[in-house]
Amino acid sequence: MKSTVTIKDVARELGIHHVTVSRALRDTGSVKEETKVLIKQKANELGYKPNRLAQNFRNKRSNVLAVVVPDLRPYFFAKFVSDFMETAKDAGYTVMIFQSGEKPGLEKDIIDSLIGYRVAGVVASVTKDTVQASHFEVLKEENIPYVFFDRAPKETLASQVLVNNFQGAYEAVTAMINSGKRRIAYISTHYKHQIFRDRLEGYKQALQDNDLPSDDELVVEGGFFMKDGFAHAERLMNLEEKPDGILAVRDEIGIGVIKFLKKKGIQVPNDVAVIGFDNDPMGIACEPELTTVQQSIPLMVASSFELLLVQINNGSLNFEKKIIEPKIIYRGSV
Amino acid sequence: MKSTVTIKDVARELGIHHVTVSRALRDTGSVKEETKVLIKQKANELGYKPNRLAQNFRNKRSNVLAVVVPDLRPYFFAKFVSDFMETAKDAGYTVMIFQSGEKPGLEKDIIDSLIGYRVAGVVASVTKDTVQASHFEVLKEENIPYVFFDRAPKETLASQVLVNNFQGAYEAVTAMINSGKRRIAYISTHYKHQIFRDRLEGYKQALQDNDLPSDDELVVEGGFFMKDGFAHAERLMNLEEKPDGILAVRDEIGIGVIKFLKKKGIQVPNDVAVIGFDNDPMGIACEPELTTVQQSIPLMVASSFELLLVQINNGSLNFEKKIIEPKIIYRGSV
DNA sequence: GTGAAAGCGCTAACAA
DNA sequence: TTGTTAGCGCTTTCAC
């Protein structure tokens, strides 16, 4: 049971001072090339692993980045986190992930604990009920930079990477109109959050620009999953005047819609067109394959990371807003 | 720009010793109830956040658990990690996640860095090419407990939570036989890893127990995604003697198979039955819905966590093997 | 019940 | 180029 090796152990073995070892291992200060080689060799031989806890503690800041998402399971977040981790790793950072479970209270606790870990920076997508940014302000006090992606609080002076949701919805609705649809519905999850409202606005604007009336009974909200899409579709198709196109705020909901329509023998896209958001691979599993509004995750990751790194390196917080333009992926449902 | 608050700040404000503050905040040792209340109040007022870096450093061990998975994106891993994080959080642990990208070399680097963070424990599912457990042994030297889940190295003396893959495949094949299928194929990802081999064995055994011949050309391997399932299905259906049932090693592959069959106008399950593994919600998106072999993730999480915690609390490593029995979720593809 | 002392492993700053 | 000193914030041990 060999106990943990420290720089002092390495130093003792070599009959030198542990500070020299520290310098050599980090390629800092000046150490004779010869001793440096010797040190690295010996460190390796003894199986020395730097104690990050001590390092980070001493440096008053860790090399850990925190990512806070509502839920890790949806493909969009899983993919973002996965890609972000790769990017961070390549830059020498380790990532801690936190799930707020869409609960603002939990989100606040997470932020508080993040401070305890003296993370180097935070990337967050807030819960759908997070309107205020107040619980993020403590990060500012601690001088910990943070960047919002995809979902940001309504008013915040932090950097953010957002998707042009208005445009995404606008184009999706326009695509359906272009393929001859005239009565288009919108299924949202809760409206509270800006991104869902932006989509709603884009939807309405597209109708208006095409001289199509907007009908409140075609705008429904609530839920997150296939079953919710299924239920909403049922309600919509029971309307006096049925829709001939449905925009779903998430692919999963869109798939639920398609499943309902098919069950009722309604043709997709001939009778009713469907478009979702997120480019979830699940959309390829369904039949017909779901047309979707894609938000480039690699681009969002790159931007988020960049905006964060600038702040970390400058040691100052700043405010920059980056808008990602969405793109419609045409498949079979429109 | 208020600088960080430490226990000394709290102590000074109250005119007491910082050690007393430390004790009060952790409810350790004996502190007069009255002062304790005062201390907590003041700490809260000043916005004191314990410096975890210092705490963990001083304690020589962090309250961080590491989870190492090949890839965070597949639903199985995303869900496991998500659930595991919840369980860990409730027990006061924070989680660091790492992706090995199915690369054993990277996996080794991850383990090494984990030691630097003095994590309290590690839960890992190894890459499909990890056969030896040698790079995990360093954890043993550092007395860091670890548990394998789902995929473990071939020979290891660490605790593990595995699924009875033999049984899962056996039952899946039996189910197809019971519904009248006689010529059943198996699409695997690589064979290297034990879990995929176990499934192969279960497949073969089921054939044998039903006096059905085993035909090598019905066993194919390679790939991970829908497109791979699609391609394999194409090859299988071009055979002289076509299969009437296909067992896919992953749901995504199974869905690819179904997509191919439907494209060719082959009826599922009437002409060909399909069963996958993982209970990926994606399987519900496809039509017909995919019958699948489910491995209870909540059970795996609970077991993994428990096996890990026992070791952490005992301060000793031990070896326990927990087998989770799979369950077939019947949907429409068989 | 509270305080004083010591030290975890590391690195910045200064000295030689 | 190398060594010495000091201290990060916290907790354990021992003394009062």
Side-chain angles (χ1 to χ4, degrees), chain B residues 14-228:
Chain B
L14 257 29
I16 56 173
H17 198 96
H18 70 273
V19 171
T20 308
V21 175
S22 170
R23 280 195 272 253
L25 260 20
R26 286 174 302 129
D27 293 307
T28 313
S30 44
V31 180
K32 210 201 296 172
E33 194 52 38
E34 200 181 313
T35 24
K36 194 183 276 191
V37 173
L38 234 53
I39 289 170
K40 292 194 174 177
Q41 205 173 294
K42 179 61 79 179
N44 203 44
E45 177 194 328
L46 297 180
Y48 169 74
K49 308 251 169 26
N51 184 333
R52 304 282 174 210
L53 256 28
Q55 276 184 331
N56 292 336
F57 166 55
R58 164 63 229 227
N59 295 336
K60 290 166 176 292
R61 183 116 313 174
S62 77
N63 64 333
V64 173
L65 262 27
V67 179
V68 186
V69 292
D71 185 348
L72 196 54
R73 289 164 300 178
Y75 181 80
F76 176 78
F77 290 123
K79 163 87 171 152
F80 181 94
V81 168
S82 174
D83 284 10
F84 189 87
M85 278 170 55
E86 291 307 304
T87 305
K89 178 169 67 66
D90 293 344
Y93 288 96
T94 302
V95 175
M96 271 187 171
I97 298 164
F98 297 87
Q99 294 183 105
S100 63
E102 300 279 9
K103 298 191 203 76
L106 189 50
E107 195 171 64
K108 183 185 181 322
D109 293 345
I110 290 170
I111 304 297
D112 284 349
S113 90
L114 252 37
I115 294 172
Y117 287 105
R118 302 292 187 270
V119 294
V122 180
V123 173
S125 195
V126 302
T127 79
K128 58 183 162 45
D129 298 321
T130 302
V131 181
Q132 299 244 337
S134 53
H135 51 296
F136 282 91
E137 313 264 298
V138 284
L139 291 173
K140 225 169 241 173
E141 287 168 15
E142 303 287 342
N143 209 38
I144 296 176
Y146 56 105
V147 173
F148 293 110
F149 77 94
D150 187 47
R151 305 184 189 172
K154 200 172 160 117
E155 277 171 26
T156 178
L157 286 174
S159 284
Q160 40 195 297
V161 177
L162 304 177
V163 173
N164 190 339
N165 282 291
F166 177 93
Q167 186 66 17
Y170 186 93
E171 287 181 18
V173 172
T174 305
M176 291 195 262
I177 294 172
N178 287 345
S179 75
K181 307 304 180 187
R182 286 290 169 271
R183 195 164 158 74
I184 297 163
Y186 174 57
I187 303 179
S188 180
T189 186
H190 307 264
Y191 292 145
K192 244 180 213 157
H193 208 281
Q194 194 59 34
I195 70 170
F196 305 128
R197 276 217 240 115
D198 287 346
R199 291 177 192 178
L200 178 62
E201 291 309 318
Y203 157 84
K204 285 186 174 164
Q205 190 64 47
L207 292 182
Q208 194 181 315
D209 288 356
N210 286 278
D211 299 320
L212 255 28
S214 169
D215 185 343
D216 281 352
E217 69 178 6
L218 290 181
V219 176
V220 295
E221 75 158 327
F224 231 70
F225 305 107
M226 265 187 237
K227 64 171 170 47
D228 302 306

Side-chain angles (χ1 to χ4, degrees), chain A residues 304-316:
Chain A
S304 310
F305 188 73
E306 196 187 311
L307 291 186
L308 195 61
L309 214 59
V310 169
Q311 300 182 76
I312 292 175
N313 292 338
N314 290 350
S316 67

Side-chain angles (χ1 to χ4, degrees), chain A residues 202-223:
Chain A
Y203 157 84
K204 285 185 173 165
Q205 191 65 48
L207 292 183
Q208 195 181 312
D209 288 356
N210 286 276
D211 298 322
L212 255 29
S214 167
D215 184 343
D216 281 352
E217 70 178 6
L218 289 182
V219 176
V220 295
E221 75 158 325

Side-chain angles (χ1 to χ4, degrees), chain A residues 7 45 47 62-63 70 86 88 105 108 111 126 131 144 152 178 205-206 237 265 331:
Chain A
I7 46 172
E45 177 195 329
S62 77
N63 64 334
E86 292 307 303
K108 183 184 180 326
I111 303 299
V126 302
V131 182
I144 297 176
N178 287 344
Q205 191 65 48
M237 297 314 287
R331 293 203 276 249

